[in-house]
Amino acid sequence: MKNDINYDVNSIKRRKKQKRIIKKIKIVTFLVVILLIGAFAGIKYFNKEKEVAKEKNQVSNTFTTNNSTTSKENEQASKNGTDSKDDKKENNKDEKIVMTVDDIWNKKDGEKIAFLTFDDGPSPHTPKILDILEQYKIKATFFVLGTSAKNFPEYLKKEVELGHSIGNHTYNHKIRYSGAYTPDEFVKDVRRCDNAIKEVLGQDFKTNLVRFPGGSFNHKSYERNLLASGFKHIDWNVENGDARRLNVPKDELVKNVKDEIGNHKHVVILMHDSSTKSTTVEALPEIIEFLKSQGFKFGVVSQEN
């Protein structure tokens, strides 16, 4: 009996010991698995970082090589007296056709050049006109009224900022060249507009370009007085017809330009930038597309004549 009891006690002790050993083995196994997983993840992360660093190095080397190549090309171009790549990019970006009044009318270069001109502005429509011109990368010539310059100074500044040419359209836009509005009074009106433009753009701003309200046709004494005062005027040889009445339909404006182009090589197109000329804005893209289809480049009238 005593031996049986001792056997049972020893048996229980052995089982407990076995359980403890098994538990320890499980714990050790679990820890080993955790360590292996951690080690594997660490190796993977290290390799990934190594690859990223390698890629960055390759990009850096490529960039350095390109810069070095461009620099060498520019240096070689400089030695050869030719434009470097950077210069060519800049020249293409800034290329703009500028012609004096005399060259527009008298130069027989055979080139088809269109001069888009807008009278009476700035106006509430000016931002839309500028957006369209910017979309097509075209510069135009704006003949500014003194009163409009005072009413919309920011739009006038924007025209200059975007590289457009500015002309003088008098201060008050009088179109009856007779009576008290003598040639001397006309020049005073032009000078007053010039002062209004300078009040917005600064006293250093200069333009001697003028357009007569209604055109200079048959106003010879006024022309002579203007020229003697240091200004130069320009009329037009094509018009979209937006001054003929209010709200001329867009299609009619486009047709007018198409009909009047004829065989002209240098075309100076009269349009208006005023609050009552919304269809002029609507017609502008089609007019530009037509001129492009006919092989015209675009230029501006010089501010220095």
Side-chain angles (χ1 to χ4, degrees):
M1 172 77 79
K2 188 175 180 181
N3 288 335
D4 290 339
I5 292 171
N6 288 334
Y7 175 78
D8 290 338
V9 170
N10 290 333
S11 177
I12 290 169
K13 286 181 178 180
R14 280 196 304 272
R15 284 198 297 272
K16 285 183 177 180
K17 186 176 181 181
Q18 287 174 348
K19 285 182 179 179
R20 284 197 298 271
I21 291 170
I22 291 170
K23 188 175 181 181
K24 286 180 181 179
I25 290 171
K26 286 182 177 179
I27 291 172
V28 170
T29 303
F30 176 75
L31 291 174
V32 169
V33 171
I34 293 296
L35 287 172
L36 288 173
I37 291 173
F40 178 75
I43 292 170
K44 192 174 181 181
Y45 175 79
F46 176 77
N47 288 337
K48 188 175 181 181
E49 285 295 304
K50 201 172 179 181
E51 288 177 8
V52 170
K54 187 177 179 181
E55 287 176 1
K56 284 182 178 178
N57 212 14
Q58 287 175 343
V59 171
S60 177
N61 288 338
T62 302
F63 181 74
T64 303
T65 302
N66 288 342
N67 278 350
S68 177
T69 302
T70 302
S71 179
K72 287 178 181 177
E73 288 176 351
N74 289 346
E75 185 179 345
Q76 187 62 38
S78 178
K79 288 179 181 177
N80 295 337
T82 57
D83 286 340
S84 67
K85 281 188 174 181
D86 291 340
D87 289 336
K88 285 178 181 177
K89 284 179 184 177
E90 195 63 30
N91 288 342
N92 289 337
K93 180 181 175 183
D94 295 335
E95 186 177 354
K96 181 170 70 171
I97 299 172
V98 183
M99 294 183 71
T100 63
V101 174
D102 288 339
D103 281 347
I104 289 172
W105 295 138
N106 302 321
K107 191 174 182 180
K108 308 300 180 185
D109 53 16
E111 289 207 62
K112 300 176 80 170
I113 306 173
F115 299 85
L116 304 180
T117 68
F118 298 87
D119 291 7
D120 297 351
S123 80
H125 291 311
T126 302
K128 296 175 187 175
I129 293 172
L130 292 177
D131 285 345
I132 294 168
L133 295 173
E134 193 68 10
Q135 179 186 340
Y136 283 97
K137 306 300 179 187
I138 290 172
K139 305 305 178 188
T141 306
F142 290 85
F143 289 93
V144 176
L145 280 176
T147 52
S148 298
K150 284 184 173 292
N151 290 333
F152 302 99
E154 293 306 314
Y155 296 163
L156 176 55
K157 289 178 183 177
K158 193 67 177 177
E159 289 170 354
V160 173
E161 181 186 321
L162 292 174
H164 300 287
S165 188
I166 303 298
N168 184 317
H169 200 41
T170 75
Y171 191 88
N172 288 311
H173 200 276
K174 294 181 179 180
I175 59 174
R176 298 190 68 176
Y177 298 92
S178 61
Y181 197 54
T182 63
D184 286 342
E185 289 301 314
F186 169 66
V187 171
K188 285 181 183 178
D189 203 11
V190 169
R191 291 194 187 282
R192 188 179 177 193
C193 179
D194 188 56
N195 289 333
I197 292 172
K198 286 181 176 179
E199 284 177 13
V200 175
L201 300 177
Q203 294 303 310
D204 292 336
F205 181 83
K206 292 181 181 179
T207 180
N208 73 339
L209 178 64
V210 173
R211 174 169 281 165
F212 281 63
S216 68
F217 314 107
N218 300 318
H219 305 306
K220 298 301 180 184
S221 60
Y222 292 79
E223 289 182 47
R224 287 193 296 270
N225 221 33
L226 184 70
L227 189 61
S229 301
F231 296 96
K232 185 79 172 180
H233 78 279
I234 189 169
D235 290 318
W236 56 89
N237 56 3
V238 174
E239 59 180 307
N240 69 352
D242 61 0
R244 295 171 188 173
R245 62 185 190 279
L246 292 176
N247 300 315
V248 179
K250 178 192 76 171
D251 292 342
E252 186 178 329
L253 298 177
V254 176
K255 184 177 182 301
N256 288 337
V257 172
K258 290 180 178 180
D259 290 346
E260 294 188 16
I261 289 290
N263 295 320
H264 295 304
K265 296 296 184 183
H266 294 172
V267 295
V268 180
I269 304 174
L270 171 65
M271 295 176 280
H272 290 81
D273 173 17
S274 67
S275 59
T276 60
K277 307 298 178 186
S278 60
T279 55
T280 297
V281 180
E282 295 169 13
L284 184 57
E286 285 190 40
I287 290 172
I288 291 172
E289 291 289 354
F290 167 73
L291 292 167
K292 288 177 67 177
S293 73
Q294 299 301 302
F296 279 92
K297 298 177 183 178
F298 295 86
V300 298
V301 187
S302 176
Q303 295 175 178
E304 299 176 5
N305 295 276

